[in-house]
Amino acid sequence: MDSTNHSVLIVDDERFVLDTTAFILRRLGCVNVFTAESAYDALDHLDNANPPIKLILTDLNMPDVDGVELLRLVSERGYTGDIVLFSGEDPRTLVLAETLAKARKLSVLGSIAKPLKPDELAILLDRRGTIMRMPARPAPDLVTAEKLDAAIKNRQLEPWFQPKICIASKRVVGVEALVRWPDKTAGMIYPDAFIPVAEAHGLIDPLTFLVIQKSAAVSADWRSMGLNLQVAVNVSMNSLHDIGFPDRIADYLNEDTGFASGSLKLEVTESQLMQDLIAPLEVLLRMRLKKIKLSIDDFGTGHSNIGQLRDLPFDELKLDRSYVHGSSTDPHAGTILESTVSMAKKLGMEIVAEGVETEEDLKRVALLGCDQAQGYFISRPLPAEDIPSWVAKWNMRHKTAIS
Ligand code: G
Ligand code: G
Ligand code: MN
C-alpha cells in the first residue's frame, strides 16, 4: 500500500496501555499516532485529526462509553478506515464484537488479546498493508550534514531487515538491511531523506560501514539462535568509484566480525551502475574475489538491456517492484519480465522479485520462474530483534496462508 498521509488512533482508558501501544506502532513505522483515554476523546480526534485517521485500535472494556458503543458512534460518522479490537475479555467476546462491527459495515482487521504483542499486531496490520509508512519527509533543516555526521559517529542509525523467501520452499533465506534513523524530535527518518545528504558530504562510507557492522553483529546473534540468514546491504555508487572500498570491507570481514563466510551480499542499483561501468567494474570484480556476493538492485529502472549484464559479475538480479506489481495490469511489464527472467537464468543469476504485495503477485512471479521474493505480502522491514520470532511465525503461517 502506498505510504500516504494517514493517522492512527489508539483508544484505551489506561495511559500505560496507550503509551506502550503507541510505542509499538511507531516502531512498526506509523508516524502520526494519536491516543485517546475515552470514547469522547476518540471522537474528537476522529473529527479533527490531521492527517485523517485511517486506523483505530480500540479497547472494548472502558468506563462510560465502552468500545462496542464507540464502534456504533464511529460507524454513524461514516468512518471508512480500518479497526483493530483489543481486550482482556475472553476470546468469544472479542469475536462477537468483531461480528457486530462487521455487521455495521466497519472494516475490522481483527482482534488481539491483551497484553498486546508487537509481532501479532504487525502480522495483523501486514495482512492488509495497513501500516502507514509515512513518505520520507525532506525536512531539510533536520537532515543537515552535521547532524547526520553526529548520528553516524554516535552509532544512532539502525538497520532494519526485510525478509526474503525462496519461492519453491517458502523458507526464509535472507534479509535486506534497510537503514533507519530514529531521532528523538523528528521521529523515524527514512533513507530517502538522508542517503543523498550522506553521498553529497562524504559520509556514505562511514554510513555503509556502520550498517555493515551492526548487521554483522545481528547476524552473529541470529546464528547463535540457529538462524542462518544471508544479509544484503545496499551500497551507494560513490563507494564503487573508490578503489580502496573492497580492501576496507575485506579487512573488516577478516577481523571475524560476525558474518559467516559468503553471507554478506552487496546490492547496487542498476540505474546508477549503468551510467559509468569501467571504474565500478574493477571494484566489483575485486569484491567477487573476496567472496562477497553481488546483487543488481531495482533492475528495470536503468534502461540497460540484460545483454549488458553478461559481462558483469553479479550473483543476483532484483526485479524492480514496478514490474512485479505492475505486471498484474500492464501486459508490457509482463513481457519484459518474462524475457528478463529467462535471460538472467541463462546467465546463472538468482532472480529476486521485489515489491511482492499480494498473493497474486507471488503466484505470478513464481510462474515466471523467479527464485526468491521480497515484499509487503511477506513482511515489511522489521527491527533486528523481531526477526527470529517473525521467522518462527512465518514457518507456521506460510503452510496455511499461501496456497
Ligand atoms: O528503506 P526504504 O525502505 O525506505 O529504502 C529506501 C531506499 O534507500 C532504497 O532505495 C534503499 O536501497 C536505500 N537504502 C536503504 N538502506 C540503505 C543503506 O544502508 N545504504 C544505502 N546506500 N542505501 C540504502
Ligand atoms: O531500492 P531498494 O530495492 O533497495 O529499496 C527497497 C525499498 O522498497 C524500501 O524502501 C522498502 O521499504 C520498499 N519495499 C519493500 N517491499 C515493498 C513492497 O512490497 N511494496 C512497496 N511499494 N515497497 C516495498
Ligand atoms: Mn535494495
Side-chain angles (χ1 to χ4, degrees):
M1 169 177 282
D2 268 6
S3 42
T4 33
N5 266 355
H6 295 156
S7 298
V8 182
L9 173 65
I10 316 163
V11 194
D12 195 294
D13 54 316
E14 280 179 75
R15 183 38 53 191
F16 172 74
V17 174
L18 290 174
D19 290 342
T20 49
T21 312
F23 177 79
I24 293 171
L25 282 167
R26 289 207 180 88
R27 270 211 349 195
L28 291 173
C30 305
V31 177
N32 302 301
V33 181
F34 292 93
T35 59
E37 284 188 66
S38 72
Y40 299 117
D41 285 353
L43 293 175
D44 193 41
H45 282 304
L46 200 60
D47 293 339
N48 299 311
N50 185 25
I53 311 262
K54 282 288 156 65
L55 172 66
I56 301 176
L57 289 94
T58 183
D59 185 22
L60 285 182
N61 206 342
M62 295 181 288
D64 303 327
V65 178
D66 62 38
V68 175
E69 200 176 348
L70 175 65
L71 290 176
R72 174 167 49 76
L73 296 171
V74 159
S75 116
E76 281 167 8
R77 266 160 219 247
Y79 174 73
T80 55
D82 294 313
I83 290 175
V84 170
L85 305 172
F86 59 100
S87 172
E89 300 293 322
D90 67 300
R92 282 196 52 216
T93 310
L94 273 172
V95 172
L96 275 175
E98 226 181 281
T99 312
L100 179 63
K102 283 178 181 159
R104 294 221 165 88
K105 304 271 184 290
L106 289 169
S107 156
V108 182
L109 289 183
S111 47
I112 315 182
K114 275 187 185 173
L116 210 73
K117 292 191 196 67
D119 40 357
E120 276 177 25
L121 184 59
I123 286 170
L124 202 61
L125 300 191
D126 247 17
R127 229 185 258 157
R128 275 282 294 268
T130 314
I131 301 179
M132 280 147 285
R133 234 302 285 290
M134 295 302 148
R137 290 164 293 173
D141 50 325
L142 290 170
V143 182
T144 60
E146 292 71 36
K147 266 199 80 174
L148 182 58
D149 187 27
I152 294 170
K153 291 209 172 86
N154 297 328
R155 305 178 69 80
Q156 277 167 7
L157 307 194
E158 288 291 341
W160 283 34
F161 297 92
Q162 188 176 35
K164 278 158 71 173
I165 60 158
C166 163
I167 292 177
S169 67
K170 305 288 186 298
R171 289 174 60 88
V172 183
V173 288
V175 291
E176 176 175 1
L178 293 159
V179 68
R180 272 95 182 87
W181 177 3
D183 182 74
K184 278 198 200 72
T185 45
M188 192 63 96
I189 310 177
Y190 288 91
D192 319 78
F194 60 86
I195 296 290
V197 179
E199 286 175 341
H201 293 89
L203 297 172
I204 196 69
D205 217 28
L207 185 150
T208 303
F209 271 83
L210 180 57
V211 172
I212 290 180
Q213 285 171 354
K214 288 201 171 184
S215 300
V218 161
S219 164
D221 281 353
W222 292 337
R223 215 169 42 255
S224 72
M225 303 175 195
L227 201 56
N228 287 304
L229 298 174
Q230 203 164 64
V231 181
V233 171
N234 290 284
V235 294
S236 156
M237 198 58 204
N238 297 26
S239 306
L240 298 191
H241 281 282
D242 174 358
I243 300 297
F245 185 66
D247 293 318
R248 288 199 298 282
I249 295 222
D251 287 349
Y252 174 71
L253 293 179
N254 286 339
E255 292 161 14
D256 183 24
T257 48
F259 281 125
S261 169
S263 66
L264 174 65
K265 183 178 276 179
L266 299 179
E267 295 191 5
V268 191
T269 297
E270 185 223 7
S271 56
Q272 294 183 330
L273 186 65
M274 291 302 162
Q275 287 163 17
D276 164 20
L277 266 175
I278 301 300
L281 193 55
E282 177 177 339
V283 174
L284 290 171
L285 274 171
R286 298 190 55 222
M287 299 277 205
R288 184 172 192 113
L289 294 174
K290 297 176 194 305
K291 306 284 177 257
I292 295 163
K293 298 266 191 298
L294 297 172
S295 171
I296 185 158
D297 204 0
D298 302 330
F299 190 83
T301 57
H303 313 292
S304 53
N305 64 57
I306 183 94
Q308 287 174 279
L309 285 185
R310 201 183 41 215
D311 308 319
L312 294 174
F314 285 99
D315 307 277
E316 179 185 276
L317 180 150
K318 297 186 85 175
L319 284 175
D320 189 65
R321 59 170 179 262
S322 56
Y323 290 88
V324 172
H325 195 61
S327 66
S328 57
T329 47
D330 178 358
H332 293 298
T335 316
I336 295 170
L337 262 182
E338 264 170 60
S339 56
T340 303
V341 169
S342 84
M343 185 75 164
K345 289 211 137 168
K346 287 193 190 113
L347 297 175
M349 295 189 212
E350 293 266 320
I351 303 150
V352 182
E354 288 186 316
V356 170
E357 293 188 1
T358 63
E359 187 170 2
E360 278 295 291
D361 290 348
L362 184 58
K363 284 188 180 143
R364 196 166 348 92
V365 298
L367 280 176
L368 282 169
C370 293
D371 303 294
Q372 295 177 17
Q374 179 181 346
Y376 295 164
F377 177 66
I378 297 146
S379 171
R380 305 222 155 210
L382 300 171
E385 64 269 26
D386 291 354
I387 289 287
S389 61
W390 180 88
V391 171
K393 282 236 166 70
W394 170 261
N395 288 339
M396 306 269 287
R397 184 165 70 109
H398 76 74
K399 296 190 183 77
T400 48
I402 300 170
S403 39

